[in-house]
Amino acid sequence: MAREQPNVGDLLPLLESSDIHQLEEIKGLINEHLSTERGAMLLNGLVDYFLETNSAQAIHILSSVREPHDKHLLDKMNECMTKQACRLPTLTLLGHVVRKQPSWIHKIARYPLLLSLLKCLKTDLDVVVLITGVLVLITLLPMIPQAGKQHLYEFFDIFGRLASWNLKNPGHISEVYLIHLHASIYSLFHRLYGMYPCNFVSYLRSHYNMKENVDTFEEVVKPMLEHVRIHPELVTGTKDQELDPTRWKKFEIHDIVIECAKVSLDPKEASCEEGYAPMPGNFYPHLELRPQESVSSPYTDFHNSYGSSSSTPFSTPRQPLPPPLSLASLPGTQSLYRSPQTSRSPNSSCELDTTCGVKELWSPSSLCGMATPPSSSGMSPNPELSHSASHLPGHRVHSTSGGKGTPASSTPATSSPPHTLSDFPIIPLLSNTTSPPQKDDHPVEAAKPSLVKQEPIRDSEKGGEVINRDVGGGETISMTLSVFMKEQELQQRTEREETAISEELLKITKDKRDLAGVRGFDSPFYRTTETLTGTQEKPLPNLPLGGPMPPRDPHHAVSTSDNELENAQGGIGGGGDSSTGLALDQSWSIEPVCPFSPIQHPLHQSLSALEDEVAKFGGLFSPSHPMKKPSLPYEALFDLALPRAASLFVGRRTSEARGRAALEKLCQRQEGLEDREEEGKGIVSASPLEVLDHLVQQGSDTHDKVLKRLPLPSKSADWTHFGGSAPLDELHTLRSQLLLLHSQLLYERYKREQHAVRNRRLLRRVINATALEEQNNAMKDQLNLQSVDVVTLKESLQVEQQRCRQLWDDRETVVTRLHSQVRQLQQGRDDYYTKNQELQSQLNEYQKKMNDLEADLQRANNKVCHTGHLLNQMTIKLSTSESTQQQMSFLNKQLLLLGEAHKLDVLQQQHTGSDNTKEAQMVQVSWGKEVERLRQSLLQQGQKLEAAQQRVGELETHLTKKEHLIVEQKKFLEDVKGQAKGELQASESRYQAQRRVTQLLQTELLHLYSRLEMEGHTCPTTASAAGGSSTDPGPPIDSSIMEPDGSVTLGTNEWSDDRRPSQSPRGNGSTLLPGKPKANNSPKALPVNSASSTQDIPPPLLVEPSFSCPHAPLATPMPPDAAPLTVGSYPSANSFLGMRARELFRNKSESQCDEEPPPPHLAGLSQGLKTELCVEPLFPPLGNALTCPVPASILGAPLTVPAKEHLPETRQRAIKQESPRRKMGGARGGGAAAASAAQPRQQQQFRIMDYNETQQEHS
Amino acid sequence: MAEDPQRNFRSAYYEKVGFRGVEEKKSLEILLKDNPLDVEKLSTFSQRFPLPSMYRIHVWKVLLGILPPHNDSHSLVGGYRREQYQDVLEALKVMRFVHMATPQTQVYLRMFQLESQVLPRRSDTLPPDEEDEDFLSIARAMEEIVEDPMDCYWLIKSFVNQFNNKFGDSIPHLPKSLEHYLSVEEPRLLNHLKNTGALAMLPYSLWFRRCFAGCLPESSLQRVWDKVISGSCKILVFVAMEILLSYKIMVMGNSRPEGVVNILCNMPQENTDAIVTKAIDLWHKYCGTPMHSV
């Protein structure tokens, strides 16, 4: 290391080596060293080296320093900042570093470098330093948004200081600087307002409230404020909020830049992104025409305005000429579009007015009064005056060209390849003036190299050729033009390096002038020659004009050459190109006019005129150069991205392909040229910007050289001519201006890069959107296809349906046909069926018939058999009949014989008598009578029968009634029996008690007797006396009773034994059913009855008592009473009791009796017929006897319920009279017999009744 | 009986609220209106319900056969009864078995003896034996219930006769039955009685021979006798058991059989009605409500 260290240090000067290989080697070495070493030595050395030499290589290395060295670098720079002399280069270096955007740049806020920068900005008085520093600061701000907030008020203070500087001008610097300063302040204002609106506005409020600052506000800040819209943050945000680090996190650096641009109303500054960028009305057509180029549009518009502004004053007569519409409608590339627009825009005068008006309205230059000193600031400040910082590069280019471009009057730029930066001694020779054949080639060549040049600018990554192709052969004439200009500038610079060339240039211009026709060309060319020399030596008032002039010549040259070029292009590019070429031609052809006015009245030019000029330059040069660069590469991409332009793109590809051949040729040729010209540098890839930078540097270098070389008188002459300030001062001013311009250019370039970054991103989005749109379209197409498919399918479906329907119909018809056939067949089958059935039935019939016939046959056979049998019989009968015939004949014979005998007998009878007939007649009559009588009797009998039947019915009812009665009586009897039983039990118990009492008494008696006897035996008298005294009344009674009692006691035992059986029959007799006594009586009564018929009645009466029981003595007193009773009662059998008794007992007894003699029916009937009339009267007494209880009441019995009560009564009586009646039983039978005898008719009647009853019973 | 339309429709509720006997009187009157009285029904009624006292004597007479079922013969039979009573009484008087000073129960006893032919001779008159004592106590009770001496005599006589005839065989089994029911109802008491030996010495004769005559006051006694007369001697067992249960604490407290017997024989006369009611309930519970049972 230690060894190498000096080596590396030594290497540094080698960086300036012109040998590229060596340069590369050294660079590699240094980088390697930096990457390996940590120390700050080399870096410090590098910085020092840079400060000394301002070496571009050193910048390159320093700006790409890596992470660990940042600290050393920043420290070193901080260190350098403290030194007044190093400040500017340090700031420049810082600007380079910052613009490089190294990854560590955010750290800068932590280093003292920032503080020292701010301090420097606050304190320094050198305007160049300030502007550079401000630009650096502006660039730096978006990179450290939240880091910057610590120093926010320092920023504001800086702004305030610089803004007031403008007015107060404390450093007493020239106004040229002020303009620069103003532009940078304007940028700073935008940046601060865009980033920290609230804070900034509040700062403004507080700062410009102070009286001393009011002027500054009115003059400087207010116009700036007029060009910003209200920041949305002012509405929604707060001071703290906008300082919030989170707010910045989502933003990238370019986002912040765009954010700041958004709030600007300045059309140059503002971005029309998001749709709220301010757009003057005249821009809209363009916007409409290419809305996709929104990003680039400001620049093109910018173009237009310049174009218009430059051309309009002179193009008025040409207004009807241009074919803008046709051009606009013509399909062409964007660039083609644009170029016509530049030419077209002048057509609309209003556009001019508006643009001019706008310019005048808002250009700070007018406010700043920048137009005042045309002498000194005439040229360079103009762009700054008229426009915002965005114009600066263009103007700078212009100004540089102006400054250095005076040699451009030698316009042979077309032939000079862009990369041959330094030495092109021969190229000017190859200018368009050289030879017509060359011209033919050159324009084309010029176009191509320009494109080649542009490649690296557009896209450093892309290969130049590729983009070349993309851009297309006849792509942009305007571009080619601008490139021409640039080349010319470059060439001018190169030419400037060699003074000898100027002479040639002069020649050329003269030639040109000759070519172009004299008119006023001399002066410009003259001037230009002057400027070529003079601008660089002394600041002439012509200088600004001289700046414009030199390009004019080339323009003219170009325009002239363009005609040829167009011709050539007409072959290449096609119709569209020719028209544009025409338009361009016209514009160019007129342009030469414009220089005159500034030239002729350089000093009297109004501000607007100046602006016009500047605008013209901007339109012609600056815009085309720096603005196109960003826009162009994307246009190609837009073409790719946007389906709308796809067809155009294809078309362009074809033209491009055509152009490529020419291009290759050109390249080859150029290479050949290069080979010819160059000493061996093969690198073509240097970017034009770098070239520009180099140019600026080298221009300054050469300028120094030239300055030294130039003869002083010329200088003085110039100066005296203009009466300007000291040349050295002016020189310094110019140099610093150059520096400022460079730095501003760098700043603008940086901005542009930011835009580029953003554009790339937006483009990606556009591409995405386009892709989506494409996809959408594709899908739509697919949809359409599918719908078409669907339609076709539907159609086919319909067809199929139709076919199907047809098939169906066919099928239907077939089916119906088949159905009908089937029906027919069925019918046929049915017919056959019926026939079959008929036949079957016939068959059956026949079979039946057959059967019948068979049966008939059988029958016939039977008959035959039968008849045979009969025949046999008949034969037998015949034989018998024959025999009987024989007998008959025999009998006939006998009959004859008997007849004869009969005759003989008749004869005898006639003789005997004829009375028999009478007798027979009488007998017959008697028979008849007899029959008659019998019939009558039959009738009678029938009637009797009926009567008897009636009677039977009546008797039946009687019988049921009787049965009822009997049941009732049975119940009653039961009742009575129970009652009697109860009573009887009571009496029984009483009796028992009596007996007990009696027994007791007897025992007592016996006891007494025994005592008495005992006493009597002992002392009879006394005893008797005593007994008499004591039991006197008793003994006689006792004795009297005792006698019988003794028997009785015995008897009682017997009697009680006897009496019970005897009593029970009696009780039975009373209680039992009436049938029972009869049963008892009947055996007795029967003999009596039988006897009664034969015997007399009385005897039984006498006999009866003899029948009486052994206990007759007890009953003896009764018979005498009973006998008369019964006797007396019995005859009165008609009385109730008798009747009743008879009724009760008659049924069985008498019926039994009656049954014995069965009466003859016929006799009974005849008797009944006789007694018929007597039957009726007989009934009532009987009914009375049955139902009427009147006789009972006569008897006097107390009867409450006669039907029930009289019976017990009678029974009681019957019980009382029982014994006598029993005795009279036989007599009663006799009595009955007597009664029957007495009333035979009644008896007969009864008999009939009885018969009926018995009949019933039997039945 | 229950379907009788003449019965009060409220009768169903009377029993629910505890008024027994409101409807019984009516139904009894209906029963007594029948001409041949249905003795069966009467006895069933008497078993199921307490007899109203105004009809008690009449019902008893009918049930005991003193009056025949036929109302018609009542007067006649009544005459017979009276004659018989007078005859017997006269005879006794004549025979000087009784005199004016003889207590009525003694008279009844003599009469009963006379009618049962067990009247001892006057000379060898013995002091009254056990049976006579039973009779006498029953007679004493009956005398209290019935005013008319004739009716009283007849009721006593019929009651004693019926009791002896009907239940003479079952009376010796009653103590066993008592033991059984007691074991069901109150085994602890039974155990106590058994352990103390009082079970054998309980006043069975007083309970079952005299039918609690002399043990219970007449007002309660007649309710017991209603049941006895109507044909159930089981009621005696339940009355005895209820007496035991009622005096359980005293009985349990007394371990001497003599003491127990003493307590039972001389029981207070206060809550006998309750005892009888409970006994009847128990009887109904165990023997069921008799329909025509004996």
Side-chain angles (χ1 to χ4, degrees), chain A residues 1164-1181:
Chain A
L1165 278 173
S1166 59
Q1167 274 176 350
L1169 277 172
K1170 281 167 195 164
T1171 56
E1172 204 172 26
L1173 294 169
C1174 309
V1175 172
E1176 294 299 325
L1178 268 176
F1179 276 96

Side-chain angles (χ1 to χ4, degrees), chain A residues 665-676:
Chain A
K665 265 189 242 167
L666 262 174
C667 285
Q668 284 169 359
R669 195 171 293 182
Q670 215 151 19
E671 277 163 24
L673 274 171
E674 280 165 13
D675 291 340
R676 220 185 342 161

Side-chain angles (χ1 to χ4, degrees), chain A residues 974-976 978-980 982-987 989-997 999-1001 1003-1004 1006-1008 1011, chain B residues 35-36 68 70 72-73 76-77 79-81 83-84 87-88 91-92 94-95 97 114-117 119 121-123 154 157:
Chain A
E974 204 66 36
D975 206 21
V976 168
Q979 197 181 356
E983 287 168 14
L984 203 66
Q985 274 172 353
S987 57
S989 72
R990 190 175 145 215
Y991 169 70
Q992 290 288 345
Q994 286 286 356
R995 257 182 66 190
R996 305 272 156 74
V997 168
Q999 276 177 349
L1000 212 62
L1001 285 173
T1003 51
E1004 197 70 20
L1006 281 174
H1007 180 64
L1008 285 174
R1011 239 173 59 181
Chain B
N35 189 2
H70 286 269
D72 297 331
S73 27
L76 181 74
V77 175
Y80 286 162
R81 301 298 186 202
E83 280 169 22
Q84 186 177 346
D87 286 345
V88 174
L92 280 176
V94 166
M95 284 183 282
F97 272 101
L114 187 149
E115 290 217 54
S116 341
Q117 291 177 312
L119 189 68
R121 296 200 67 89
R122 202 179 51 178
S123 50
W154 272 107
K157 181 191 155 192

Side-chain angles (χ1 to χ4, degrees), chain A residues 1188-1203:
Chain A
C1188 186
V1190 180
S1193 64
I1194 296 165
L1195 283 172
L1199 296 174
T1200 50
V1201 186

Side-chain angles (χ1 to χ4, degrees), chain A residues 813-880:
Chain A
T813 51
V814 168
V815 162
T816 46
R817 198 146 33 91
L818 286 172
H819 265 301
S820 59
Q821 274 184 1
V822 164
R823 220 170 295 129
Q824 274 181 344
L825 288 171
Q826 269 181 343
Q827 266 186 346
R829 194 198 59 164
D830 287 346
D831 290 347
Y832 284 128
Y833 245 114
T834 47
K835 273 183 193 170
N836 196 13
Q837 274 183 343
E838 276 172 29
L839 287 172
Q840 204 103 32
S841 57
Q842 273 183 352
L843 182 70
N844 284 339
E845 274 175 35
Y846 287 135
Q847 273 177 347
K848 264 187 205 167
K849 274 183 189 169
M850 276 278 286
N851 286 340
D852 288 350
L853 287 171
E854 271 177 17
D856 283 350
L857 185 68
Q858 206 91 32
R859 242 178 284 142
N861 280 342
N862 282 351
K863 265 185 191 169
V864 168
C865 283
H866 191 63
T867 43
H869 188 65
L870 283 178
L871 195 67
N872 287 340
Q873 281 183 336
M874 290 305 286
T875 49
I876 294 165
K877 277 183 183 174
L878 191 68
S879 59
T880 51

